[in-house]
Amino acid sequence: MKQPDSGRISGRAHVPGRAAPGRPRSAGSGGRGPGGPGGPGGPGGGVYPGGRKPRLRPRWGRIALVAGIAVLVLGVLGTLGAWAYVNRLDDDLARTNPFSELTGGRPVKTVDGTLNIMLVGSDSRDPDAPVDQGSEWRADTIIVMHIPSSHDKAYLVSIPRDLYVPIPESAGADCGSGQRAKINAAFAFGGLPLAVRTVECFTDVHIDNVMAIDFAGFKEVTDALGGVDLTVERTITSIHKPYRTFHKGVRHMNGEQALDWIRQRKQFPEGDFARMRHQQEFLRALMDKAASTGTLTNPKKLNSFLKATTDAVTVDEGFSLIDMAIQFRSLRGENLHFVTSPHKGSETINGESVVVSDRENALAMYKAMAADKMDEWVAANASPAPKPGS
């Protein structure tokens, strides 16, 4: 039975019992894509397979979106000609293979030159925990960054962590094989491989690369840039120690302060959606600061920023810093377009608060992404970004 919810989003992935390997189980109602019969918002499901509930910690910066910066800002190196330096950075990147278990049935890439990168911000109990294993990291932010074949802009589509979606039984299973749960449950139980499989099943968009970042890197990258300016739309007191007060206005924040600010959600009527908007504002501010003259013309600051970024992220084995630097050197903050996966807000399903996908509009948007027509979809559908404080 569904009941209207007040709009509050719990942020916790409720993941009941998971069947043991090889044990028969009933299939969920999932189908591929947000508009299919198993798309989010449909009936049925609600119980995620599996026998253990993940332990959750306070959200110490699981919103670390700076993974995207590693892609977007590296273009500045093209002007420096420092390819040997880039190679050293490339060698320093932690790598994983999130695609090895995806044995078949993946979306087909239909337009050459496009690039779809899945960015994951997370909080792990162990900063050195491998991201390819379940029960180690907790996905708090999932963004599909689409770069069109023109390479002159980037569309960053935020997927709410509480979005109610079909989750396959495993990374190698069919899209309709599992049951429904919040999308961050996929990362909790199957690491990056199951997260990639779940996102591809939901969007029907081929993922080319994956980047994951833990909260420790968020603070270091921000501090390497000397902090960022963020707009505080209302005066609030943090719910986390040391309970700092954020005063209304444009505020310069170091890494620790910015981390705290974009963790806040309970003080805002929009709840988790306000938190997600603050993440987007932070990413744009960080990108602008990284691409500013003050960073690019200061070798020490630029080196600190790039080193902090590469130390913070884990990427797939096919990710190349040199390729990214060449192809996307013209991207800047003004070229970033932020979109949220279409949804109908929150509802209570099987006793938990979840976000329900707007199946029709989500399907149309992801079809546009796959066909390299995001500019047309955004022009026809996306509303102007709300001004802080509105």
Side-chain angles (χ1 to χ4, degrees):
M1 177 177 179
K2 300 181 183 179
Q3 298 176 346
D5 189 72
S6 62
R8 177 181 178 275
I9 300 174
S10 69
R12 297 176 179 270
H14 177 65
V15 188
R18 188 179 188 86
R23 186 173 297 175
R25 46 165 295 117
S26 59
S29 60
R32 179 182 294 281
V47 177
Y48 186 73
R52 61 193 187 283
K53 184 174 181 179
R55 291 177 293 167
L56 300 179
R57 290 173 46 135
R59 298 178 182 83
W60 288 102
R62 288 179 279 170
I63 33 56
L65 300 179
V66 293
I69 299 301
V71 177
L72 301 176
V73 117
L74 284 168
V76 304
L77 294 177
T79 62
L80 303 179
W83 301 117
Y85 174 73
V86 178
N87 274 319
R88 288 198 299 273
L89 290 175
D90 197 69
D91 291 340
D92 289 341
L93 283 169
R95 296 185 180 270
T96 186
N97 189 352
F99 305 111
S100 61
E101 300 177 35
L102 280 61
T103 55
R106 298 184 63 194
V108 177
K109 187 167 183 174
T110 57
V111 180
D112 291 335
T114 61
L115 188 66
N116 300 309
I117 305 174
M118 192 175 87
L119 311 177
V120 180
S122 179
D123 178 23
S124 85
R125 295 189 295 274
D126 175 6
D128 297 319
V131 296
D132 57 346
Q133 297 178 11
S135 300
E136 296 292 348
W137 282 45
R138 299 288 177 260
D140 187 73
T141 294
I142 299 176
I143 291 179
V144 176
M145 182 167 69
H146 170 73
I147 300 177
S149 57
S150 59
H151 295 178
D152 58 351
K153 60 180 71 73
Y155 297 95
L156 291 93
V157 179
S158 297
I159 300 177
R161 61 183 180 182
D162 291 345
L163 197 68
Y164 200 54
V165 301
I167 298 180
E169 279 190 329
S170 68
D174 293 337
C175 287
S177 63
Q179 295 189 27
R180 301 161 73 74
K182 297 177 182 181
I183 196 166
N184 64 348
F187 199 38
F189 278 92
L192 279 176
L194 184 57
V196 172
R197 181 61 169 168
T198 300
V199 169
E200 285 194 338
C201 286
F202 169 65
T203 64
D204 205 15
V205 170
H206 182 87
I207 299 298
D208 299 292
N209 294 104
V210 175
M211 302 183 73
I213 184 169
D214 199 9
F215 74 90
F218 168 86
K219 178 181 179 297
E220 293 172 3
V221 172
T222 306
D223 287 339
L225 289 174
V228 293
D229 294 333
L230 297 174
T231 299
V232 177
E233 65 260 41
R234 60 165 63 189
T235 298
I236 65 166
T237 298
S238 172
I239 62 174
H240 309 112
K241 292 181 179 180
Y243 308 113
R244 59 174 55 88
T245 297
F246 294 97
H247 295 280
K248 183 177 180 179
V250 177
R251 303 297 171 187
H252 185 78
M253 302 186 193
N254 61 24
E256 185 176 349
Q257 293 164 338
L259 170 64
D260 192 13
W261 164 248
I262 62 176
R263 288 167 57 212
Q264 307 304 314
R265 62 186 179 90
K266 293 184 177 180
Q267 305 93 322
F268 301 94
E270 319 98 300
D272 209 40
F273 296 107
R275 185 189 63 87
M276 191 160 52
R277 172 166 49 81
H278 295 156
Q279 294 172 9
Q280 296 173 345
E281 292 167 357
F282 161 75
L283 180 56
R284 187 186 299 277
L286 199 63
M287 178 64 200
D288 287 339
K289 187 68 175 290
S292 68
T293 302
T295 300
L296 300 184
T297 59
N298 186 326
K300 183 177 180 180
K301 180 180 285 190
L302 180 60
N303 178 65
S304 296
F305 165 71
L306 294 173
K307 289 281 295 177
T309 302
T310 54
D311 287 345
V313 301
T314 297
V315 299
D316 64 274
E317 293 179 348
F319 183 88
S320 168
L321 291 182
I322 292 180
D323 288 347
M324 296 298 172
I326 293 174
Q327 295 184 54
F328 309 118
R329 59 185 177 273
S330 63
L331 288 176
R332 295 295 185 268
E334 64 268 20
N335 305 130
L336 306 184
H337 303 277
F338 293 94
V339 182
T340 299
S341 187
H343 61 84
K344 295 181 178 180
S346 58
E347 293 184 12
T348 299
I349 300 179
N350 293 334
E352 63 176 339
S353 180
V354 300
V355 176
V356 178
S357 179
D358 183 338
R359 297 171 59 185
E360 182 177 352
N361 288 329
L363 178 62
M365 186 194 71
Y366 290 117
K367 279 187 174 181
M369 182 182 291
D372 198 18
K373 295 182 179 180
M374 275 296 287
D375 54 344
E376 298 178 15
W377 187 91
V378 168
N381 296 277
S383 302
K387 295 181 181 180
S390 63

